[in-house]
Each structure stands twice: as C-alpha cells, then as structure tokens.
Amino acid sequence: MRKNRKKASLSIIMSLCLMASAQAAWADTGASVPIETASTAAVNVLTSPTYKLSDNLNVEIKSLLNESSSDGVKIAAVVRMKSSAGKVVKIPDLDLRVRTTEGDEYTLQASVLNAHAIRPNTTEELSYIVTVDRKDPVSLSELVWLSVDWYSFPRTETEVLAVPVAGQSWDGPLSSLSQPAYLKTWGESFQIPNIDSPVFYTPVAISKENSQQGTITSVKLLVQNRSAKKETLPEFNMDGRAVNISGTDASIFAGKRVEQGAISLDPQEQRYIHYAIPTDKNTIISSLNLVTNETFKQLDAKGSPIVTPFSIGRLNIALPTNGQSDISVEGAPYEYNTPFKFDSNTDAIDPNMDVSLVELHMHENEGEGYQTVIGKYKLTNHGEQPLPIPVFQTKLMTESGLTYSGNRQSATTQEIMPNTSYVISYSYIMPSELKDKNFVLKIVDTKTAAPVSTTIGAYRLALQANSLNEDMLMFYPFKVKLNQWQLSARANLSSAAAPSPTTYSYKLKLDLDIERQEQVIVDQNFSKMSFELIDPTGRLLSVKTLSFTGVNRLVSGTQFIQFDNLKTDEQEYPLTVNVYETITTPTGEAKRLVASLKQ
C-alpha cells in the first residue's frame, strides 16, 4: 500500500504542474480574439489534471458535487477514463470512495450505465453517487480508488490512486466559485471548463423586461467555433444569482436556452444563443452561473431504471458594473435617412433590406393627457427578389433612462418588390409633461428568440423641429408646395318654401404642387393632411381631412375644400386654417402642425 501511495503522490505532483500550465494557457486565451485569427486557440480548454490509474488508463475529474439538503449530503462524481492502449481494455473493478477532511470515507455507487471496457484511444465517462445521512455539511479532500480483496480475511484493501479534490466540489446552486480561473467579467470570452468542446462564448447583452409570461431577464451570448471542424454546442444553462437588500446572495433563478434542439456551427462560424431567466418583479440579478447537467442511473427493486439528475456550476459571470449591457446602449450618432448598421450576426433583417429613419416628430393629442412621437421608417429592398416586411420593434429611451416602446402601424403590405421602398410608421406614447428632445433609438428583434427580445442596433438622435413653413409642407415622402391659397365665405339663406336660420360655409382654394421625393410606396395607412378652420377666439369650426392615396387623393393643381356644418351662426373674420399631418395610432389620432394660414 505504501508503494502505491508513493506512485500516486508522484502522479499528483506531475498533474499539478500540468494544471498550472493549463491555467496559464487559459489566461492567455480568455480574452476576446477575432475569430479569423484564433483558429488554433481552442486547444487550450481549462480542464482538470489527469492522473494515471494503470499502465493504459488515465482519469480526470469532470464533475464533483457536494450538496447538503434536508435529506442529507449528496456526493456525486463524474470521472473521465481514457485508454492509451491499442486494444480494448477492461475497466478495473475498483471501489471509488470520497474522503473528507475529517478522515471519513464514503463509497460511491456506480451508475448502471457505466461502461465496463474502453475501446482503443477513446474516453468513457463514469458516474458515481452516494447520499450520506448526516445534517452537517462535509468538506471533501480526496477521491480514492481502492482494490478490495473480498475473499481474504480480514478483508484487504489496497489504495490504487488518491486524487486531491479540496475546494473543487460544487456545493449546490448557492455555492460560490472562488478560483479566479472560473470567475469571468462581462464581455470576456471563455470556454466551458472540463467540457470537451473548443467553442468560445462571449456575454454581449443582458436585459430585463416584462412580458406576458411575467418578468424575464434575457441573456445573449455570442458563440464562436474557432476550430477547423464542425462542432455541436454542449448543453448548459445560465442561472441568475439574486441579491437581497443587504447585498448578499438570496436565491437562484433557473434559466433556459431559448433555441430548441441541437445547435451546430461550421468551422469559423459564429452566432447568438439566448437564455431566458424568469424572475420576480423586483429581483436584482447580481451574477450568472453557467451550469451543466449530469445524470446518474440506478435500478429499483423491480429492475426499473431510476434517473437522478444533478447540476454542476462551471463558471460565474459578473454583470456589467453600470447595470447596462445592451450593445451600443449609448448609441452611435444618427443622421436621418441613412441606413442603420445592424449587428452582423442577426437574422432579423435581410442583408438586402435597408432600414432608415426618415422622420421623427412630436405630435399633439389635444385633451388626452399625453403626446405622441411618430417615427417614419423607410424600408428599401436592394435585392433581386421580393422580400417580406421585416418584423422588428423600436424603443425610444429618454435622457433620464425611461423607455417607451413603439406601436407599429396595424396594417402593412406583405412584401417589398426589388429596388423599391416602403414607409412604415411607429408611434410612441409619452407623458404630456415630457420635455426631452434627445433620445436613444433601439431597434429590437422580438421574433428570433421570442419571448426574449434583443437589441440589434442603437443610435443617438434628436427630435426633428416642427418648423412651420407656409410655402413648403413636408409629409415624407411628399413635398407639398403651396403656391396660393384663398378662403372665401358663403351665406346659406333660407327660402320661402323651406324657412330656416341663415348658415355660413367657407371654401378654401388651394394651388398645390405635390412632388414625391423618392419612389417610396405608401398605402392607406399613410399619414394624411388635415385642415382645421379656427375662429378669432381659437375655437374649432370645422375639419377636413384629405389623403395622399386613393381615388380622392391630393393632386397637383387647383383644389377646393368646402367647410360645411360649421359650429357658428354668424360670419367670422379673420379666420385661420391650421394644416396638420395626422396619423391613426392604436390609441387614437395624432397630429403635427405643419402650417398656419391666417387671413
């Protein structure tokens, strides 16, 4: 036994050296590296040290659980056993025990699915578990393989290998990872320790939102396959660690990947994956645990398999210190009518589709207690095939950090033809007392990873001024030049056959030149031009609304607008005609004053 312990100790020293070398390599590759220059970096995955069990077999600890609960202490281990032989090797019939710092030993039960032999130069994962009936937590010091001679008396035990595991166990969801190699900062690229995968991950966005399913914290990871072969992503979860008022960890909220099924990446390919973490409304997430799942199977008295799942924490990821992490939260400065530059990894917007903001004005909502911002977005198909209208959400974030979601116009065309453009409107309901003029506009993908939404672009911009110009009225994409206007009154006298009070009507004569700035398609949901007749006291007498589309649309030339059914019984003078751009939103009609014509 002493001779075997000496061999094991020598193996431990050598393995510790290997572990130190692996940690150094991990530190070198932990930073974010451009994918095109990092094809060989994937070999430096942080793994547990390897120990020699026999001439042809080496072992390493993949997972180690030490979880205390009201049912006792659950201790589980997953061991990788690798063969270096050129033929099939039988796995030795050894006891695997866990030794505590107090010197207690507990024998681990082997899973019924554990292999009994290993093919040449392959690796098998072996699972073990034991539940100890004790209330106090235990501290693990070693995993020990022993050869037991059951036929000798007294029974003879020979220690084959002892592996130090102090400080390496996962003690349950609320336990902490203390080793620096397993603690990651926000935005730091990493590989999953002890998982046989060369894939790199980078946390790029986390946000909290209220949905129909409740409050959800969403996490977006950029996944990069920097290897030279196709890789399938390993299964893992992202759990949120919550804090209480005192700032200490209080609870864990389990997260789940939004994308269903297996995900494979070609060499040098990258994409996003998303995790949804349901939380309470007032939950404050302090950090994220990256957790992988293991299973142990045994047979009950009837020979039926019983599955015991358990989880192992691999990494802890700190959240951004400023509490924000959406890409370009501050946003880049935006110039109107220029295409947005979206995240290159998003599939929400077709590469042949340009999206730009052409107008952003504050509109009035008289007597409603709120005001409405209307944004007109131009969608341009530069491809050779028709493209469907992309589905995306937009949000305006004020200087004080408040966010207002846009309401997309209810009806749109289904697709855009090649080399044509289409205008779609979003309305943003804001408090009447809001005075902000500068915003951050976020373009949000709500479809790809529903119910999680992700920001695919963010820009800083200012509201466009509502400057009044009686000569040129702007209704993008239409420019309306007002050459001449005239307002005349008419008295409607009663007749002897049908006596009635005298009423008055007014006729507005307009000479217009209407020019479409670009070949942009508009439909019946496009904004309209409204004329309000106002008396000297500011009272509204009549309203007429005309459209830019349809049979009775506005056209260039002379036009007459009749104001009937006036709310007055006498002729008024002087009168004012206010010209508005009006648009129907889900909450009612919003309007923007574009000109004021005074007699």
Side-chain angles (χ1 to χ4, degrees):
M1 180 181 296
R2 184 174 302 171
K3 183 177 180 180
N4 287 326
R5 183 180 291 273
K6 184 180 295 184
K7 289 177 62 179
S9 300
L10 179 59
S11 177
I12 292 169
I13 293 172
M14 294 176 65
S15 299
L16 287 174
C17 295
L18 290 173
M19 180 173 64
S21 175
Q23 289 178 337
W26 170 262
D28 289 341
T29 60
S32 178
V33 182
I35 191 167
E36 63 273 10
T37 63
S39 59
T40 61
V43 298
N44 297 313
V45 182
L46 179 60
T47 60
S48 295
T50 301
Y51 301 89
K52 195 172 185 62
L53 182 67
S54 67
D55 292 339
N56 297 317
L57 296 177
N58 295 321
V59 296
E60 66 179 45
I61 310 302
K62 177 192 174 187
S63 306
L64 184 62
L65 177 72
N66 177 22
E67 184 177 8
S68 298
S69 67
S70 58
D71 298 328
V73 179
K74 180 189 294 184
I75 303 173
V78 178
V79 177
R80 287 196 183 102
M81 190 169 292
K82 184 174 182 179
S83 170
S84 58
K87 59 181 180 179
V88 175
V89 176
K90 182 180 180 299
I91 295 177
D93 187 13
L94 302 175
D95 269 11
L96 178 60
R97 299 180 189 174
V98 61
R99 185 175 293 157
T100 71
T101 55
E102 301 169 343
D104 300 327
E105 287 188 2
Y106 301 101
T107 301
L108 298 170
Q109 178 185 354
S111 171
V112 294
L113 295 183
N114 283 357
H116 298 285
I118 304 180
R119 289 174 293 181
N121 294 300
T122 60
T123 300
E124 293 287 350
E125 290 189 0
L126 311 177
S127 298
Y128 303 85
I129 201 169
V130 65
T131 299
V132 182
D133 186 15
R134 55 187 293 178
K135 302 301 180 183
D136 58 314
V138 300
S139 178
L140 307 183
S141 63
E142 290 179 315
L143 279 181
V144 186
W145 280 263
L146 298 108
S147 175
V148 180
D149 185 354
W150 298 95
Y151 302 102
S152 64
F153 184 83
R155 185 181 62 188
T156 305
E157 296 180 350
T158 304
E159 185 175 303
V160 177
L161 175 65
V163 174
V165 294
Q168 298 181 26
S169 64
W170 176 248
D171 300 336
L174 288 175
S175 61
S176 299
L177 294 167
S178 57
Q179 299 182 42
Y182 300 98
L183 303 176
K184 300 300 170 185
T185 58
W186 188 262
E188 179 182 357
S189 295
F190 60 82
Q191 293 172 281
I192 304 177
N194 291 337
I195 298 298
D196 187 17
S197 171
V199 176
F200 278 76
Y201 305 85
T202 307
V204 294
I206 183 170
S207 61
K208 183 178 179 180
E209 56 188 275
N210 295 318
S211 67
Q212 294 181 350
Q213 291 78 21
T215 303
I216 295 179
T217 296
S218 62
V219 180
K220 180 165 71 172
L221 298 178
L222 175 64
V223 185
Q224 299 173 315
N225 177 14
R226 303 179 184 177
S227 71
K229 62 179 182 178
K230 189 172 184 176
E231 294 289 342
T232 299
L233 301 189
E235 294 291 333
F236 64 90
N237 292 330
M238 298 290 290
D239 295 344
R241 292 177 68 104
V243 296
N244 54 25
I245 298 177
S246 63
T248 59
D249 287 329
S251 55
I252 290 291
F253 292 86
K256 187 177 181 180
R257 196 177 78 190
V258 176
E259 292 80 7
Q260 302 295 315
I263 297 177
S264 297
L265 273 68
D266 291 327
Q268 308 303 307
E269 182 184 357
Q270 60 183 16
R271 61 161 293 173
Y272 289 123
I273 59 174
H274 307 81
Y275 286 83
I277 307 174
T279 64
D280 298 331
K281 185 176 181 180
N282 298 320
T283 297
I284 300 174
I285 298 295
S286 60
S287 63
L288 302 171
N289 284 338
L290 191 153
V291 179
T292 60
N293 297 319
E294 305 284 5
T295 57
F296 175 86
K297 286 190 177 182
Q298 62 191 87
L299 299 178
D300 61 13
K302 298 180 179 180
S304 301
I306 301 174
V307 179
T308 303
F310 59 96
S311 300
I312 300 294
R314 301 294 179 184
L315 292 170
N316 180 259
I317 304 169
L319 266 58
T321 55
N322 61 359
Q324 297 279 3
S325 63
D326 252 340
I327 58 171
S328 305
V329 168
E330 294 301 325
Y334 181 70
E335 181 179 347
Y336 282 91
N337 205 15
T338 58
F340 295 114
K341 294 181 179 179
F342 294 115
D343 187 342
S344 60
N345 294 296
T346 183
D347 294 326
I349 309 294
D350 190 280
N352 292 313
M353 181 75 73
D354 278 352
V355 181
S356 57
L357 178 65
V358 292
E359 280 189 7
L360 190 70
H361 290 289
M362 185 72 77
H363 291 234
E364 300 176 14
N365 299 86
E366 294 180 355
E368 298 295 342
Y370 62 86
Q371 53 190 343
T372 305
V373 172
I374 300 294
K376 291 182 183 178
Y377 295 82
K378 182 178 68 172
L379 312 176
T380 304
N381 179 3
H382 290 296
E384 298 178 353
Q385 299 292 330
L387 292 177
I389 295 288
V391 177
F392 58 88
Q393 174 62 289
T394 63
K395 298 181 180 181
L396 286 178
M397 187 171 69
T398 67
E399 298 173 50
S400 58
L402 299 176
T403 299
Y404 298 90
S405 296
N407 289 309
R408 181 188 176 107
Q409 69 182 57
S410 56
T412 66
T413 186
Q414 296 299 311
E415 58 185 12
I416 304 177
M417 296 299 106
N419 298 312
T420 59
S421 299
Y422 179 78
V423 171
I424 186 171
S425 298
Y426 285 76
S427 59
Y428 309 84
I429 306 302
M430 298 186 177
S432 57
E433 64 273 10
L434 183 69
K435 303 301 181 184
D436 292 37
K437 301 299 180 185
N438 297 303
F439 298 91
V440 171
L441 170 66
K442 295 183 179 181
I443 313 296
V444 180
D445 177 11
T446 59
K447 184 179 179 180
T448 302
V452 171
S453 61
T454 57
T455 301
I456 57 178
Y459 293 87
R460 293 198 314 272
L461 47 76
L463 286 177
Q464 294 172 313
N466 286 330
S467 57
L468 303 183
N469 186 343
E470 295 183 6
D471 297 327
M472 186 65 71
L473 314 180
M474 305 301 295
F475 301 80
Y476 183 88
F478 298 99
K479 294 171 65 176
V480 180
K481 183 180 180 182
L482 182 56
N483 298 316
Q484 188 179 10
W485 68 275
Q486 183 181 3
L487 184 65
S488 59
R490 177 184 176 183
N492 303 307
L493 303 177
S494 63
S495 64
S500 63
T502 300
T503 60
Y504 298 89
S505 63
Y506 295 87
K507 182 170 64 176
L508 178 64
K509 178 182 179 181
L510 297 172
D511 182 10
L512 305 175
D513 285 334
I514 300 178
E515 175 189 353
R516 189 189 294 255
Q517 300 177 65
E518 303 177 57
Q519 293 305 309
V520 177
I521 299 172
V522 297
D523 56 22
Q524 68 274 13
N525 297 289
F526 185 72
S527 56
K528 298 175 174 59
M529 185 189 297
S530 291
F531 301 86
E532 293 188 358
L533 188 62
I534 308 297
D535 73 4
T537 65
R539 186 164 58 104
L540 176 64
L541 300 180
S542 182
V543 178
K544 289 291 182 179
T545 300
L546 301 178
S547 174
F548 289 94
T549 62
V551 177
N552 297 317
R553 66 183 182 274
L554 286 162
V555 294
S556 296
T558 301
Q559 302 183 57
F560 296 93
I561 299 174
Q562 192 76 23
F563 293 104
D564 297 314
N565 302 318
L566 303 185
K567 301 174 182 179
T568 181
D569 56 1
E570 60 182 15
Q571 184 173 344
E572 305 282 354
Y573 185 87
L575 295 175
T576 300
V577 178
N578 285 336
V579 185
Y580 290 91
E581 178 183 20
T582 60
I583 186 168
T584 302
T585 73
T587 57
E589 186 177 84
K591 61 184 183 179
R592 175 176 65 93
L593 183 64
V594 295
S596 186
L597 312 178
K598 300 181 183 295
Q599 282 185 317

